[in-house]
Amino acid sequence: MSITPRRPLRSVLPALLLLLAAVLFAAPTASARTEAAPTATLTEVTNFGTNPSNLQMYLYVPDNVTAHPAIVVAVHYCTGSGPAMYNGTEWAQLADTYGFVVIYPSVTRSSKCFDVSSPQALKRGGGSDPVGIKSMIDWTVNTYSADTSRIYATGISSGAMMTNVLLGDYPDVFAAGAAFSGVPFGCFATTDGSEWNSACSGGTITHTPQEWGDLVRAAYPGYTGTRPRMQVWHGTEDDVLRYPNFGEEIKQWTNVLGVSQTPAATDSPVSGWTRTRYGATGDRAPVEAISLQGVGHNLYAWGMASRALAFFGLDSSGPAPQPQPGACKVTATTNAWNTGLTASLTITNTGTTAINGWQLAFTLPTGQTLTNGWGATYTPSSGTVTATNATYNGTLAPNASVSIGYQANHGGNSAAPGTFTLNGTTCSAS
């Protein structure tokens, strides 16, 4: 394998001499060790394994990469590239905070679109782009002893479609995916070599949930293991991959994951957004769907990756994240007795702009159940709770604070929650 570029000749020569010595004196069965990539820089990795469609592999490894790190595969849009995805999203910055590794696959065919249409692409091990991406993952797992239970895919447009395909082809590889402006697995299928399916892009292909689910299951016949969770995003005014595809994705993945199509929770984390969760109410529900009212195809915006990260469950792993400057602070205290407690939470806007409408998310310690609250509306009563502002305290000026609280039952653990997010932004806690 080789990694390019970023190594001066003087650092390469000693390595070549060592390699020559190994060739001359090592046993015939010895094999060369895989070479790790430089840290804190985007690096192209070559000769990473089976690669039938000639994809390029770009890798970002943070300076503080953890032992057995998680892997995020970030897949670009049509006309894009791995470096464009690196520069245009915050996955590398999030990797710096949490210590995971990011793979940026890059298409070399002229369209710069990923193959989500061919019969080869829609079958496990069938060939084309998914096989090359799987090789990138295998190389990274072997090189960094990565945690195979924490491998995730995300993408935008063509990359969102590929995210659907990867989770269908390799359900045993991925723990979850996040697709921004995509279509269901198999929707873009063609048999004439074309990369484009106008019926799917126009939102006119519909199936029952069972039919959509069967398309996914056919990619890996006989697989009975755990299926990856899915988060999907779509704008209501998408004129490239029409909005009906959003509903079809929800039908497909709720069926694949065996959960009801009726949302377990519905909220609006940002004005104009409708978020529905299926199968559970917390940040890691089996299926999460975010609809953006009045937004077109290019919906991805800075900050959305942090929400995908929370869905993946990577926002609490790796090195302890530093509080985001100019964000928020929460002070939490409890007063307990026998099997009950009261908790007081003080939220402070440490930013420089006012917050108009807020939602504070936190996870209750095991065994605690809310019985009532004040200063906000709380839902649900256990697990991951969201406190939504009351009508009289929804605006927080810079440096202003608001106090809220709740009463809960407990089974012996009367501690306060330890982490908080305000409108999706992690707060410092005390």
Side-chain angles (χ1 to χ4, degrees):
M1 92 34 124
S2 62
I3 297 177
T4 57
R6 301 178 181 82
R7 293 232 170 165
L9 183 60
R10 63 179 179 274
S11 66
V12 174
L13 289 175
L16 291 175
L17 292 174
L18 288 173
L19 179 60
L20 178 60
V23 170
L24 292 174
F25 300 111
T29 56
S31 60
R33 289 184 61 190
T34 303
E35 183 184 0
T39 59
T41 187
L42 186 67
T43 302
E44 183 179 3
V45 178
T46 59
N47 301 325
F48 50 82
T50 304
N51 184 22
S53 55
N54 195 33
L55 297 177
Q56 292 175 289
M57 173 183 176
Y58 291 90
L59 192 72
Y60 183 80
V61 181
D63 282 332
N64 61 346
V65 62
T66 61
H68 311 298
I71 297 172
V72 173
V73 181
V75 194
H76 69 74
Y77 42 88
C78 282
T79 74
S81 66
M85 195 71 174
Y86 165 77
N87 288 314
T89 65
E90 65 267 41
W91 285 108
Q93 289 88 337
L94 292 170
D96 288 335
T97 299
Y98 295 101
F100 58 84
V101 175
V102 190
I103 298 171
Y104 299 94
S106 195
V107 170
T108 58
R109 65 178 63 90
S110 58
S111 67
K112 300 297 183 183
C113 296
F114 284 91
D115 176 13
V116 296
S117 305
S118 74
Q120 292 79 19
L122 298 175
K123 180 181 178 181
R124 177 187 178 83
S128 196
D129 296 346
V131 169
I133 294 172
K134 174 62 163 54
S135 295
M136 298 177 193
I137 294 168
D138 291 342
W139 184 95
T140 306
V141 167
N142 292 334
T143 304
Y144 294 95
S145 299
D147 185 348
T148 56
S149 70
R150 296 190 300 143
I151 299 174
Y152 306 87
T154 186
I156 301 169
S157 189
S158 178
M161 292 192 279
M162 178 52 73
T163 297
N164 278 265
V165 168
L166 289 171
L167 268 59
D169 285 357
Y170 296 102
D172 55 331
V173 172
F174 294 95
F180 295 84
S181 302
V183 303
F185 177 100
C187 183
F188 240 61
T190 60
T191 56
D192 60 0
S194 171
E195 295 180 38
W196 192 258
N197 184 319
S198 295
C200 178
S201 66
T204 62
I205 294 181
T206 61
H207 290 297
T208 66
Q210 182 69 35
E211 289 169 342
W212 279 123
D214 287 345
L215 287 175
V216 172
R217 288 181 284 270
Y220 187 4
Y223 178 72
T224 58
T226 302
R227 293 278 179 174
R229 297 176 298 109
M230 176 61 97
Q231 181 189 65
V232 294
W233 300 66
H234 223 101
T236 62
E237 300 302 315
D238 193 325
D239 60 353
V240 177
L241 301 174
R242 296 287 183 177
Y243 186 66
N245 284 301
F246 178 65
E248 300 302 301
E249 282 181 292
I250 294 171
K251 287 159 61 175
Q252 182 172 70
W253 291 105
T254 51
N255 179 266
V256 168
L257 286 155
V259 299
S260 172
Q261 281 189 269
T262 301
T266 302
D267 65 359
S268 180
V270 173
S271 178
W273 294 15
T274 301
R275 178 173 62 187
T276 47
R277 288 168 166 165
Y278 303 83
T281 59
D283 285 343
R284 303 182 196 180
V287 178
E288 181 173 279
I290 301 96
S291 172
L292 281 68
Q293 182 65 39
V295 175
H297 185 64
N298 297 322
L299 67 77
Y300 184 84
W302 206 265
M304 290 181 178
S306 295
R307 294 179 180 271
L309 194 79
F311 178 76
F312 293 165
L314 289 180
D315 57 340
S316 59
S317 62
Q322 297 300 309
Q324 299 180 29
C328 49
K329 179 178 72 174
V330 176
T331 301
T333 60
T334 60
N335 181 21
W337 65 91
N338 295 330
T339 59
L341 63 87
T342 58
S344 297
L345 309 177
T346 300
I347 309 164
T348 303
N349 175 10
T350 58
T352 58
T353 59
I355 297 173
N356 295 305
W358 52 262
Q359 289 188 319
L360 183 73
F362 54 90
T363 300
L364 289 173
T366 302
Q368 293 187 16
T369 303
L370 295 181
T371 56
N372 62 73
W374 51 92
T377 301
Y378 300 81
T379 183
S381 60
S382 61
T384 301
V385 176
T386 298
T388 302
N389 65 267
T391 55
Y392 61 84
N393 63 6
T395 298
L396 270 176
N399 299 314
S401 298
V402 61
S403 293
I404 63 174
Y406 58 84
Q407 187 171 341
N409 295 325
H410 67 83
N413 184 352
S414 59
T419 59
F420 301 87
T421 59
L422 188 68
N423 292 352
T425 296
T426 300
C427 302
S428 60
S430 61

